[in-house]
Amino acid sequence: MTVDGEPTTAGRRERKKSATRAAIRDAALRLAVRDGVENVTLDRIAGEADIALRTFFNYFSSKEEAVVAGAAGDFRAFVAAFRARPRGESVLQALREGVLDVMDQMVSDERDHISALVSIRGAPSLVPQLLAALAAQEDAFAEAIAERVDADTAGSLYPRLCAATALATLRITLDRWLEESPPGGVPSFATLRAEIDRGIAELAAGLDRPGAPE
Amino acid sequence: MTVDGEPTTAGRRERKKSATRAAIRDAALRLAVRDGVENVTLDRIAGEADIALRTFFNYFSSKEEAVVAGAAGDFRAFVAAFRARPRGESVLQALREGVLDVMDQMVSDERDHISALVSIRGAPSLVPQLLAALAAQEDAFAEAIAERVDADTAGSLYPRLCAATALATLRITLDRWLEESPPGGVPSFATLRAEIDRGIAELAAGLDRPGAPE
DNA sequence: CAATTTCGTGCACGTCGTGCATCTATGCAC
DNA sequence: GTGCATAGATGCACGACGTGCACGAAATTG
């Protein structure tokens, strides 16, 4: 399976659909990076992807959804990677290793939509869509967590709570890393891994802290 | 201060603005509950609030933002309540008590926008806006957390991580509670408090769990 | 009361998003 | 290969959305 978690083999019809979807997604992201999300019209995206404007809505329901589609695929890929980890690993171990697996997939991927997203993250109209894309994976992630723990825990608050907090942790960690990235090339993935390890360690150790003495 | 965290005294101009904003917010929520978010036009909201359509955009930039404004105010109120807790309380203690404080404010508030939100939460166009409204408070919350812990911790990943995970926990807990609420009246707040306590306890104890043995 | 600022409003314009009808390419059965 | 059934692509029309601009009314200031 690809980094997007989508199968590559299928009938001609399915392959054409995938190609069209990818063309739209890439065109939207490219134009958004070049001109700013707010300054891109669906007309131009459709032109760039060589489809009719009307056809755009057969694939995405808004400009923002198309721009963010790449990241949404990464989120799905992460859940798949988590699922693929050995059953013996603890939840946070599998989380850590799953993230690293996806990162490895991405660095070996020619198409670099991460550095593209860097330059437009924080655009007001994208923030809600990115958050929604992340939240859309919470249920699937929670189910994957439930499969990994014992029956009692699986039925409790824990799976959803852990899914939500883990995704929030990844979001915060990524955000900090991107913030501290100089505008030039993306800095070392090593620092990102270190940050993720720290975040996960905090989750594992518990999040309470004493108040100030005075 | 009110539950929205806004001052009540000011010049006539400010008071009129607040009143208009509240009128729009309430009209939007009322119509959204009655007819469904997707079936309400800005025209009708403006009519219900007795303002010109053009004026709507002086206060909100979209229908969804207006509908969600009440909840966004609650989020702000929570951060304020957290800040107001005694400095000696630990982070998660203050979190717990702050939430309860806000709940107390809300039950003593005549205007019940919680049960209104119950009936329209999950509307596809609202989800991103609700998440964004919550995320918008993360920075303020993180700063409040940083003020409560020692200097070393304040400068670390911890404040933002804790803010994000705590808000995610509240979101999940509220969501579960609303899901299990029968369509009739909102069920006891006691069960909500218990759920919140459980969620916070998990955060405090650490979120790792062993994998399945086989 | 006069000057100034802020806010409400109408108008025009471009963009967004959808329902509907039609046309074309694909897949399938034979 | 031929013809049929279906899914996808496209054009069209329409209503809703969101913003810039200019003007007038109300509030504030002094």
Side-chain angles (χ1 to χ4, degrees):
Chain A
M1 84 169 51
T2 73
V3 68
D4 290 342
E6 290 168 3
T8 52
T9 60
R12 187 193 322 255
R13 203 170 242 166
E14 290 303 319
R15 273 185 286 114
K16 279 202 171 186
K17 270 186 69 168
S18 286
T20 301
R21 169 172 289 264
I24 298 174
R25 160 168 51 69
D26 295 344
L29 185 55
R30 183 155 16 95
L31 293 179
V33 168
R34 206 189 57 184
D35 301 337
V37 186
E38 310 294 340
N39 303 319
V40 181
T41 66
L42 292 183
D43 246 320
R44 300 212 287 121
I45 295 176
E48 185 87 359
D50 196 31
I51 54 163
L53 171 60
R54 186 61 182 83
T55 304
F56 176 91
F57 296 103
N58 289 357
Y59 289 90
F60 302 98
S61 55
S62 74
K63 176 173 55 181
E64 289 74 21
E65 188 181 326
V67 173
V68 163
D74 293 341
F75 299 152
R76 276 199 308 275
F78 159 68
V79 175
F82 176 87
R83 261 213 170 81
R85 296 301 309 175
R87 311 273 302 153
E89 291 182 347
S90 77
V91 172
L92 292 189
Q93 267 177 344
L95 168 63
R96 175 182 185 277
E97 303 302 331
V99 173
L100 298 187
D101 290 349
V102 172
M103 281 174 52
D104 287 343
Q105 288 181 45
M106 289 196 302
V107 298
S108 69
D109 190 12
E110 72 288 354
R111 163 176 68 95
D112 179 19
H113 53 285
I114 298 296
S115 60
L117 271 178
V118 171
S119 59
I120 56 176
R121 95 181 192 288
S125 65
L126 287 190
V127 173
Q129 292 294 326
L130 274 170
L131 292 172
L134 194 59
Q137 297 308 311
E138 268 190 26
D139 284 358
F141 189 24
E143 194 172 340
I145 292 173
E147 292 170 4
R148 186 170 291 268
V149 296
D150 65 68
D152 270 1
T153 312
S156 72
L157 218 197
Y158 176 79
R160 288 181 60 182
L161 181 64
C162 186
T165 54
L167 291 181
T169 301
L170 295 181
R171 173 169 59 83
I172 292 295
T173 310
L174 252 175
D175 226 42
R176 264 175 72 100
W177 181 65
L178 293 177
E179 262 175 21
E180 294 162 2
S181 298
V186 171
S188 75
F189 279 88
T191 64
L192 177 55
R193 297 184 184 205
E195 288 263 337
I196 289 175
D197 277 343
R198 282 207 295 152
I200 294 177
E202 301 230 35
L203 284 188
L207 285 172
D208 205 5
R209 294 290 186 284
E214 43 81 41
Chain B
M1 88 168 48
T2 73
V3 68
D4 289 342
E6 291 168 4
T8 53
T9 60
R12 189 198 317 262
R13 204 168 239 167
E14 290 304 318
R15 275 184 285 113
K16 280 201 171 188
K17 269 187 71 169
S18 285
T20 302
R21 170 172 288 266
I24 298 174
R25 160 167 54 66
D26 294 345
L29 184 55
R30 183 155 16 97
L31 292 179
V33 167
R34 205 188 59 184
D35 301 336
V37 186
E38 310 294 340
N39 303 319
V40 181
T41 66
L42 293 182
D43 247 321
R44 301 214 286 121
I45 294 177
E48 185 87 359
D50 197 31
I51 54 162
L53 171 60
R54 186 62 183 82
T55 303
F56 176 92
F57 295 103
N58 290 357
Y59 289 90
F60 301 99
S61 56
S62 74
K63 176 172 56 181
E64 288 75 19
E65 187 181 327
V67 173
V68 162
D74 293 341
F75 299 152
R76 274 199 309 275
F78 159 69
V79 174
F82 176 86
R83 261 212 171 80
R85 296 300 309 175
R87 311 273 303 154
E89 291 181 349
S90 78
V91 172
L92 293 188
Q93 268 177 344
L95 169 63
R96 177 183 185 274
E97 303 302 331
V99 173
L100 298 187
D101 290 349
V102 172
M103 282 175 52
D104 287 342
Q105 288 181 45
M106 289 196 305
V107 298
S108 69
D109 190 12
E110 72 289 354
R111 163 174 69 96
D112 179 20
H113 53 285
I114 299 296
S115 61
L117 270 179
V118 172
S119 58
I120 57 176
R121 93 179 194 289
S125 65
L126 287 190
V127 173
Q129 291 294 326
L130 274 170
L131 292 172
L134 195 59
Q137 297 308 310
E138 269 190 26
D139 283 358
F141 189 25
E143 194 172 341
I145 292 173
E147 293 170 4
R148 185 169 291 268
V149 296
D150 64 69
D152 269 1
T153 312
S156 72
L157 219 198
Y158 175 79
R160 289 180 62 182
L161 182 64
C162 186
T165 54
L167 292 181
T169 301
L170 294 181
R171 173 169 61 82
I172 292 294
T173 310
L174 252 175
D175 226 44
R176 263 176 73 100
W177 182 64
L178 293 178
E179 262 176 20
E180 294 162 0
S181 299
V186 171
S188 76
F189 280 89
T191 62
L192 176 56
R193 297 183 185 206
E195 288 263 338
I196 288 175
D197 277 344
R198 282 206 295 153
I200 293 177
E202 301 229 35
L203 283 188
L207 284 172
D208 205 6
R209 295 290 187 281
E214 43 81 39

